[in-house]
């Protein structure tokens, strides 16, 4: 599911979520600046490139 479709769906069901946006890239990266993903308590949609960056963003976006 595309990140914007996911946000609309989550809004419709009143489920909180975080929009993660890749602001800048240094060196080689699998995604360009502006890449977005949506993280809710139970799922993620789209990607900002995977790996440690995405894992860290997902962990920080979810409640403790």
């Amino acid at each position: 599911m595309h990140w914007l479709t996911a946000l609309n769906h989550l809004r419709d069901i009143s489920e909180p979520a975080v929009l993660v946006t890749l602001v800048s890239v240094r060196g080689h990266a699998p995604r360009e600046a502006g890449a977005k993903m949506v993280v809710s308590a139970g799922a993620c949609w789209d990607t900002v490139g995977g790996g440690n960056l995405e894992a860290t963003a997902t962990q920080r976006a979810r409640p403790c």
Side-chain angles (χ1 to χ4, degrees):
M1 180 181 307
H2 187 266
W3 66 268
L4 186 54
T5 305
L7 276 182
N8 286 327
H9 170 71
L10 292 167
R11 181 193 61 208
D12 290 344
I13 64 171
S14 299
E15 184 173 337
V18 174
L19 177 63
V20 177
T21 305
L22 187 59
V23 177
S24 67
V25 175
R26 289 184 298 206
H28 175 72
R31 296 291 307 266
E32 66 285 346
K36 296 179 180 356
M37 70 181 279
V38 175
V39 180
S40 73
C44 295
W45 295 269
D46 231 326
T47 182
V48 290
N52 186 56
L53 170 67
E54 193 162 302
T56 300
T58 301
Q59 180 182 21
R60 289 183 181 186
R62 289 193 169 138
C64 299

